[in-house]
mmCIF file of all heavy atoms in Angstrom:
data_model
loop_
_atom_site.group_PDB
_atom_site.id
_atom_site.type_symbol
_atom_site.label_atom_id
_atom_site.label_comp_id
_atom_site.label_asym_id
_atom_site.label_seq_id
_atom_site.Cartn_x
_atom_site.Cartn_y
_atom_site.Cartn_z
ATOM 1 N N ILE B 58 18.451 5.550 -9.486
ATOM 2 C CA ILE B 58 18.027 6.927 -9.196
ATOM 3 C C ILE B 58 18.933 7.927 -9.931
ATOM 4 O O ILE B 58 18.488 8.985 -10.356
ATOM 5 C CB ILE B 58 18.014 7.164 -7.670
ATOM 6 C CG1 ILE B 58 16.902 6.307 -7.043
ATOM 7 C CG2 ILE B 58 17.805 8.632 -7.327
ATOM 8 C CD1 ILE B 58 16.981 6.168 -5.552
ATOM 9 N N GLU B 59 20.221 7.540 -10.116
ATOM 10 C CA GLU B 59 21.131 8.430 -10.851
ATOM 11 C C GLU B 59 20.812 8.483 -12.342
ATOM 12 O O GLU B 59 21.239 9.397 -13.036
ATOM 13 C CB GLU B 59 22.582 7.956 -10.634
ATOM 14 C CG GLU B 59 23.145 8.442 -9.305
ATOM 15 C CD GLU B 59 24.328 7.625 -8.822
ATOM 16 O OE1 GLU B 59 24.713 6.654 -9.511
ATOM 17 O OE2 GLU B 59 24.853 7.957 -7.751
ATOM 18 N N SER B 60 20.061 7.494 -12.841
ATOM 19 C CA SER B 60 19.850 7.405 -14.290
ATOM 20 C C SER B 60 18.598 8.126 -14.775
ATOM 21 O O SER B 60 18.323 8.153 -15.972
ATOM 22 C CB SER B 60 19.745 5.929 -14.701
ATOM 23 O OG SER B 60 18.436 5.446 -14.433
ATOM 24 N N ILE B 61 17.823 8.712 -13.868
ATOM 25 C CA ILE B 61 16.522 9.262 -14.291
ATOM 26 C C ILE B 61 16.565 10.779 -14.438
ATOM 27 O O ILE B 61 17.396 11.455 -13.847
ATOM 28 C CB ILE B 61 15.397 8.868 -13.302
ATOM 29 C CG1 ILE B 61 15.771 9.278 -11.873
ATOM 30 C CG2 ILE B 61 15.104 7.375 -13.401
ATOM 31 C CD1 ILE B 61 14.658 9.097 -10.865
ATOM 32 N N ASP B 62 15.613 11.291 -15.253
ATOM 33 C CA ASP B 62 15.523 12.726 -15.495
ATOM 34 C C ASP B 62 14.529 13.398 -14.561
ATOM 35 O O ASP B 62 14.570 14.606 -14.365
ATOM 36 C CB ASP B 62 15.084 12.985 -16.944
ATOM 37 C CG ASP B 62 16.047 12.341 -17.932
ATOM 38 O OD1 ASP B 62 17.258 12.572 -17.778
ATOM 39 O OD2 ASP B 62 15.590 11.612 -18.815
ATOM 40 N N ALA B 63 13.587 12.623 -14.034
ATOM 41 C CA ALA B 63 12.576 13.173 -13.128
ATOM 42 C C ALA B 63 12.080 12.031 -12.247
ATOM 43 O O ALA B 63 12.233 10.856 -12.594
ATOM 44 C CB ALA B 63 11.419 13.779 -13.909
ATOM 45 N N LEU B 64 11.490 12.401 -11.112
ATOM 46 C CA LEU B 64 11.089 11.385 -10.125
ATOM 47 C C LEU B 64 9.634 11.582 -9.719
ATOM 48 O O LEU B 64 9.179 12.711 -9.507
ATOM 49 C CB LEU B 64 11.971 11.503 -8.877
ATOM 50 C CG LEU B 64 11.687 10.525 -7.725
ATOM 51 C CD1 LEU B 64 12.093 9.111 -8.114
ATOM 52 C CD2 LEU B 64 12.415 10.946 -6.454
ATOM 53 N N VAL B 65 8.912 10.457 -9.587
ATOM 54 C CA VAL B 65 7.583 10.493 -8.987
ATOM 55 C C VAL B 65 7.655 9.726 -7.670
ATOM 56 O O VAL B 65 8.171 8.607 -7.624
ATOM 57 C CB VAL B 65 6.527 9.872 -9.929
ATOM 58 C CG1 VAL B 65 5.194 9.694 -9.196
ATOM 59 C CG2 VAL B 65 6.329 10.752 -11.161
ATOM 60 N N ILE B 66 7.163 10.346 -6.608
ATOM 61 C CA ILE B 66 7.098 9.660 -5.312
ATOM 62 C C ILE B 66 5.642 9.261 -5.096
ATOM 63 O O ILE B 66 4.756 10.112 -5.072
ATOM 64 C CB ILE B 66 7.598 10.571 -4.172
ATOM 65 C CG1 ILE B 66 8.994 11.119 -4.520
ATOM 66 C CG2 ILE B 66 7.642 9.794 -2.855
ATOM 67 C CD1 ILE B 66 9.518 12.141 -3.533
ATOM 68 N N PRO B 67 5.386 7.948 -4.989
ATOM 69 C CA PRO B 67 4.003 7.465 -5.014
ATOM 70 C C PRO B 67 3.280 7.668 -3.690
ATOM 71 O O PRO B 67 3.878 8.113 -2.701
ATOM 72 C CB PRO B 67 4.181 5.968 -5.291
ATOM 73 C CG PRO B 67 5.469 5.637 -4.624
ATOM 74 C CD PRO B 67 6.344 6.863 -4.809
ATOM 75 N N GLY B 68 2.001 7.265 -3.689
ATOM 76 C CA GLY B 68 1.268 7.168 -2.438
ATOM 77 C C GLY B 68 1.749 5.947 -1.677
ATOM 78 O O GLY B 68 2.240 4.990 -2.273
ATOM 79 N N GLY B 69 1.587 5.978 -0.374
ATOM 80 C CA GLY B 69 2.046 4.876 0.469
ATOM 81 C C GLY B 69 2.121 5.386 1.884
ATOM 82 O O GLY B 69 1.405 6.317 2.235
ATOM 83 N N GLU B 70 2.982 4.813 2.701
ATOM 84 C CA GLU B 70 3.193 5.331 4.047
ATOM 85 C C GLU B 70 4.471 6.145 4.067
ATOM 86 O O GLU B 70 5.562 5.594 3.857
ATOM 87 C CB GLU B 70 3.243 4.186 5.064
ATOM 88 C CG GLU B 70 1.883 3.750 5.556
ATOM 89 C CD GLU B 70 1.040 4.913 6.098
ATOM 90 O OE1 GLU B 70 1.547 5.688 6.949
ATOM 91 O OE2 GLU B 70 -0.097 5.081 5.648
ATOM 92 N N SER B 71 4.358 7.439 4.347
ATOM 93 C CA SER B 71 5.532 8.306 4.269
ATOM 94 C C SER B 71 6.616 7.872 5.260
ATOM 95 O O SER B 71 7.806 7.945 4.958
ATOM 96 C CB SER B 71 5.133 9.762 4.518
ATOM 97 O OG SER B 71 4.518 9.907 5.777
ATOM 98 N N THR B 72 6.202 7.379 6.434
ATOM 99 C CA THR B 72 7.210 6.940 7.422
ATOM 100 C C THR B 72 7.985 5.740 6.887
ATOM 101 O O THR B 72 9.204 5.657 7.034
ATOM 102 C CB THR B 72 6.539 6.526 8.746
ATOM 103 O OG1 THR B 72 5.470 5.619 8.480
ATOM 104 C CG2 THR B 72 6.004 7.723 9.488
ATOM 105 N N THR B 73 7.267 4.802 6.249
ATOM 106 C CA THR B 73 7.912 3.597 5.731
ATOM 107 C C THR B 73 8.865 3.939 4.587
ATOM 108 O O THR B 73 9.999 3.438 4.536
ATOM 109 C CB THR B 73 6.844 2.593 5.231
ATOM 110 O OG1 THR B 73 5.937 2.322 6.302
ATOM 111 C CG2 THR B 73 7.478 1.305 4.745
ATOM 112 N N ILE B 74 8.408 4.799 3.675
ATOM 113 C CA ILE B 74 9.233 5.143 2.511
ATOM 114 C C ILE B 74 10.515 5.847 2.968
ATOM 115 O O ILE B 74 11.622 5.513 2.512
ATOM 116 C CB ILE B 74 8.430 6.005 1.508
ATOM 117 C CG1 ILE B 74 7.254 5.197 0.937
ATOM 118 C CG2 ILE B 74 9.335 6.491 0.366
ATOM 119 C CD1 ILE B 74 6.280 5.994 0.080
ATOM 120 N N ALA B 75 10.388 6.793 3.912
ATOM 121 C CA ALA B 75 11.573 7.511 4.411
ATOM 122 C C ALA B 75 12.519 6.543 5.127
ATOM 123 O O ALA B 75 13.740 6.599 4.959
ATOM 124 C CB ALA B 75 11.153 8.633 5.348
ATOM 125 N N HIS B 76 11.925 5.641 5.913
ATOM 126 C CA HIS B 76 12.716 4.658 6.653
ATOM 127 C C HIS B 76 13.518 3.780 5.683
ATOM 128 O O HIS B 76 14.719 3.561 5.862
ATOM 129 C CB HIS B 76 11.751 3.800 7.482
ATOM 130 C CG HIS B 76 12.387 2.660 8.195
ATOM 131 N ND1 HIS B 76 12.920 2.779 9.458
ATOM 132 C CD2 HIS B 76 12.597 1.381 7.821
ATOM 133 C CE1 HIS B 76 13.425 1.620 9.828
ATOM 134 N NE2 HIS B 76 13.242 0.752 8.858
ATOM 135 N N LEU B 77 12.852 3.295 4.632
ATOM 136 C CA LEU B 77 13.535 2.421 3.670
ATOM 137 C C LEU B 77 14.586 3.184 2.869
ATOM 138 O O LEU B 77 15.653 2.646 2.572
ATOM 139 C CB LEU B 77 12.513 1.761 2.736
ATOM 140 C CG LEU B 77 11.699 0.634 3.378
ATOM 141 C CD1 LEU B 77 10.498 0.281 2.522
ATOM 142 C CD2 LEU B 77 12.571 -0.609 3.588
ATOM 143 N N ALA B 78 14.288 4.434 2.539
ATOM 144 C CA ALA B 78 15.269 5.240 1.789
ATOM 145 C C ALA B 78 16.538 5.409 2.617
ATOM 146 O O ALA B 78 17.659 5.324 2.089
ATOM 147 C CB ALA B 78 14.674 6.598 1.425
ATOM 148 N N ALA B 79 16.371 5.627 3.928
ATOM 149 C CA ALA B 79 17.537 5.779 4.800
ATOM 150 C C ALA B 79 18.270 4.442 4.953
ATOM 151 O O ALA B 79 19.500 4.377 4.845
ATOM 152 C CB ALA B 79 17.099 6.316 6.160
ATOM 153 N N THR B 80 17.518 3.369 5.166
ATOM 154 C CA THR B 80 18.127 2.045 5.363
ATOM 155 C C THR B 80 18.969 1.640 4.160
ATOM 156 O O THR B 80 20.019 1.028 4.306
ATOM 157 C CB THR B 80 17.015 0.981 5.556
ATOM 158 O OG1 THR B 80 16.175 1.418 6.603
ATOM 159 C CG2 THR B 80 17.606 -0.374 5.912
ATOM 160 N N PHE B 81 18.490 1.969 2.969
ATOM 161 C CA PHE B 81 19.205 1.525 1.772
ATOM 162 C C PHE B 81 20.071 2.630 1.174
ATOM 163 O O PHE B 81 20.456 2.577 0.003
ATOM 164 C CB PHE B 81 18.227 0.948 0.751
ATOM 165 C CG PHE B 81 17.648 -0.357 1.223
ATOM 166 C CD1 PHE B 81 16.358 -0.439 1.696
ATOM 167 C CD2 PHE B 81 18.437 -1.501 1.250
ATOM 168 C CE1 PHE B 81 15.841 -1.631 2.166
ATOM 169 C CE2 PHE B 81 17.928 -2.700 1.711
ATOM 170 C CZ PHE B 81 16.627 -2.769 2.180
ATOM 171 N N ASP B 82 20.382 3.655 1.996
ATOM 172 C CA ASP B 82 21.359 4.679 1.615
ATOM 173 C C ASP B 82 21.019 5.426 0.329
ATOM 174 O O ASP B 82 21.918 5.754 -0.450
ATOM 175 C CB ASP B 82 22.763 4.052 1.456
ATOM 176 C CG ASP B 82 23.335 3.642 2.797
ATOM 177 O OD1 ASP B 82 22.991 4.318 3.788
ATOM 178 O OD2 ASP B 82 24.086 2.662 2.845
ATOM 179 N N VAL B 83 19.760 5.680 0.073
ATOM 180 C CA VAL B 83 19.419 6.509 -1.084
ATOM 181 C C VAL B 83 18.731 7.806 -0.655
ATOM 182 O O VAL B 83 18.395 8.635 -1.494
ATOM 183 C CB VAL B 83 18.541 5.768 -2.128
ATOM 184 C CG1 VAL B 83 19.316 4.616 -2.763
ATOM 185 C CG2 VAL B 83 17.236 5.274 -1.526
ATOM 186 N N PHE B 84 18.554 7.987 0.650
ATOM 187 C CA PHE B 84 17.851 9.184 1.135
ATOM 188 C C PHE B 84 18.581 10.461 0.689
ATOM 189 O O PHE B 84 17.993 11.344 0.074
ATOM 190 C CB PHE B 84 17.723 9.148 2.668
ATOM 191 C CG PHE B 84 16.814 10.218 3.198
ATOM 192 C CD1 PHE B 84 15.463 9.958 3.416
ATOM 193 C CD2 PHE B 84 17.284 11.498 3.446
ATOM 194 C CE1 PHE B 84 14.615 10.960 3.875
ATOM 195 C CE2 PHE B 84 16.446 12.496 3.895
ATOM 196 C CZ PHE B 84 15.109 12.223 4.119
ATOM 197 N N ASP B 85 19.897 10.522 0.980
ATOM 198 C CA ASP B 85 20.661 11.735 0.646
ATOM 199 C C ASP B 85 20.724 11.949 -0.857
ATOM 200 O O ASP B 85 20.698 13.081 -1.335
ATOM 201 C CB ASP B 85 22.084 11.645 1.216
ATOM 202 C CG ASP B 85 22.068 11.667 2.734
ATOM 203 O OD1 ASP B 85 21.029 12.072 3.300
ATOM 204 O OD2 ASP B 85 23.069 11.261 3.347
ATOM 205 N N LEU B 86 20.817 10.846 -1.599
ATOM 206 C CA LEU B 86 20.893 10.951 -3.058
ATOM 207 C C LEU B 86 19.628 11.596 -3.625
ATOM 208 O O LEU B 86 19.695 12.527 -4.438
ATOM 209 C CB LEU B 86 21.099 9.547 -3.664
ATOM 210 C CG LEU B 86 21.037 9.458 -5.182
ATOM 211 C CD1 LEU B 86 22.133 10.290 -5.827
ATOM 212 C CD2 LEU B 86 21.140 7.998 -5.635
#
Side-chain angles (χ1 to χ4, degrees):
Chain B
I58 293 166
E59 279 159 359
S60 81
I61 54 172
D62 302 310
L64 179 70
V65 170
I66 307 174
E70 275 307 309
S71 58
T72 50
T73 304
I74 296 172
H76 174 88
L77 285 166
T80 306
F81 291 105
D82 290 329
V83 294
F84 190 93
D85 293 343
L86 173 62

